[in-house]
């Protein structure tokens, strides 16, 4: 992939509210991509009994636009109003619940005001030895879980402007992510009282975000099974529109219950 040092030219504005699914539109320049890969053939699944879970409380407090030094993917993150504190609150609730049940829980952002790039969050999860990492977001009307799958990708202008396509290729990590995603979606469906689907994302028409179908943080987390959540309860709240505390608590309960189902603390 291209590694020439040229700044990414950013045009356009991000959607005001949601963060999961933008308008469906024409994908950005990704027609003739370089081959790229995030796979390395191994997975950091923890041995039975050692349960470390990483929780990623969405969004960054300041805008970040850079290239991931490992994969070359554009890592663009931005504050999103009420979502920032809403998801941090959910992350803390999940942490409290799971800690009381014997897990070690690492928050990948230590406070709502800490600026941490996607790569730095992935590195923190890896250093902690996380068997599973869970991203927590809200978006109006979107109740979904996005897993890693072999073949999912993001593509766009890399350093120097040359088209780059980065594909997720680690089969072991992807298989674990899909198992955990199914467990979390099932538990969330029950806790939230509506159907939470497991599906791929769609970043088409959301320039300057790269086109494709997997969140960047999940794409670059080659060896850590990642489960990316969006929540938008009835009433149209989520994203920059504050979600009521009762709804956030249901979201937190579903995620914690799902993690327990996916990754029991006791060996079978
Ligand atoms: Zn979000």
């Amino acid at each position: 992939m291209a590694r020439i040092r040229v700044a990414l030219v950013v045009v356009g504005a991000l959607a005001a509210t949601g963060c999961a699914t933008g308008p469906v539109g024409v994908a950005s320049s990704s027609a003739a991509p370089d081959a790229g890969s995030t796979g390395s053939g191994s997975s950091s699944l923890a041995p039975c009994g050692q349960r470390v879970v990483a929780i990623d409380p969405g969004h960054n407090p300041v805008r970040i636009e850079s290239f991931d030094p490992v994969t070359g993917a554009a890592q663009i993150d931005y504050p999103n109003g009420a979502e920032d504190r809403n998801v941090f609150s959910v992350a803390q609730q999940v942490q409290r619940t799971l800690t009381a049940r014997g897990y070690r829980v690492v928050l990948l952002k230590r406070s709502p005001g800490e600026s941490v790039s996607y790569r730095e969050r992935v590195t923190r999860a890896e250093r902690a030895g996380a068997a599973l990492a869970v991203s927590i977001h809200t978006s109006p009307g979107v109740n979904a879980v996005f897993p890693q799958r072999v073949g999912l990708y993001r593509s766009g202008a890399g350093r120097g402007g040359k088209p780059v396509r980065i594909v997720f290729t680690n089969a072991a990590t992807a298989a674990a992510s899909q198992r955990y995603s199914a467990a979390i979606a099932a538990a969330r469906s029950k806790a939230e009282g509506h159907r939470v689907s497991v599906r791929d994302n769609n970043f088409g028409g959301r320039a300057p975000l790269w086109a494709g179908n997997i969140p960047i943080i999940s794409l670059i987390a080659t060896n850590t099974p990642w489960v990316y959540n969006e929540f938008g309860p009835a009433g149209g709240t989520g994203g920059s529109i504050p979600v009521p505390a009762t709804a956030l608590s249901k979201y937190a309960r579903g995620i914690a219950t799902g993690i327990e189902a996916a990754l029991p603390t006791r060996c079978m």
Side-chain angles (χ1 to χ4, degrees):
M1 66 199 84
R3 289 294 177 108
I4 303 160
R5 281 175 183 270
V6 175
L8 176 67
V9 177
V10 177
V11 290
L14 293 158
T17 56
C19 63
T21 47
V24 177
V26 180
S28 61
S29 58
S30 59
D34 280 0
S37 168
T38 61
S40 72
S42 67
S43 176
S44 65
L45 289 174
C48 184
Q50 181 194 354
R51 299 306 190 204
V52 182
V53 175
I55 305 291
D56 169 35
H59 295 271
N60 210 53
V62 295
R63 192 174 178 86
I64 288 181
E65 295 172 12
S66 62
F67 290 100
D68 172 28
V70 179
T71 64
Q75 40 178 13
I76 301 171
D77 199 0
Y78 49 91
N80 197 31
E83 181 176 0
D84 302 13
R85 285 194 175 273
N86 281 173
V87 298
F88 201 84
S89 162
V90 172
Q92 288 177 311
Q93 290 178 50
V94 172
Q95 183 182 38
R96 275 197 297 275
T97 302
L98 292 180
T99 301
R101 292 175 186 169
Y103 292 81
R104 188 157 89 78
V105 180
V106 179
L107 295 192
L108 300 181
K109 202 170 86 176
R110 298 183 185 105
S111 72
E114 188 188 21
S115 178
V116 198
S117 71
Y118 291 147
R119 171 53 62 187
E120 214 173 320
R121 292 175 197 220
V122 170
T123 300
R124 287 179 180 183
E126 288 172 347
R127 284 195 186 133
L132 163 65
V134 176
S135 286
I136 299 175
H137 287 253
T138 67
S139 191
V142 183
N143 292 295
V145 173
F146 307 107
Q148 292 154 315
R149 296 185 208 277
V150 170
L152 296 187
Y153 75 99
R154 294 295 289 272
S155 62
R159 290 182 200 275
K162 193 177 172 189
V164 176
R165 182 184 180 97
I166 298 172
V167 181
F168 195 89
T169 61
N170 189 316
T173 301
S177 168
Q178 287 161 51
R179 281 199 309 277
Y180 302 159
S181 293
I184 290 171
R188 280 189 51 196
S189 296
K190 205 170 167 186
E192 296 166 19
H194 52 212
R195 182 170 174 270
V196 176
S197 59
V198 178
R199 62 179 174 87
D200 300 334
N201 213 318
N202 175 11
F203 292 91
R206 293 185 63 189
L209 303 187
W210 280 13
N213 49 18
I214 180 172
I216 291 287
I217 195 165
S218 308
L219 175 66
I220 68 175
T222 306
N223 299 314
T224 303
W226 214 277
V227 175
Y228 191 104
N229 291 269
E230 288 285 5
F231 174 55
T237 62
S240 60
I241 305 162
V243 177
T246 49
L248 292 176
S249 292
K250 289 178 185 174
Y251 187 26
R253 194 167 73 242
I255 290 173
T257 305
I259 291 171
E260 284 186 275
L263 210 64
T265 46
R266 289 194 187 132
C267 300
M268 304 303 282

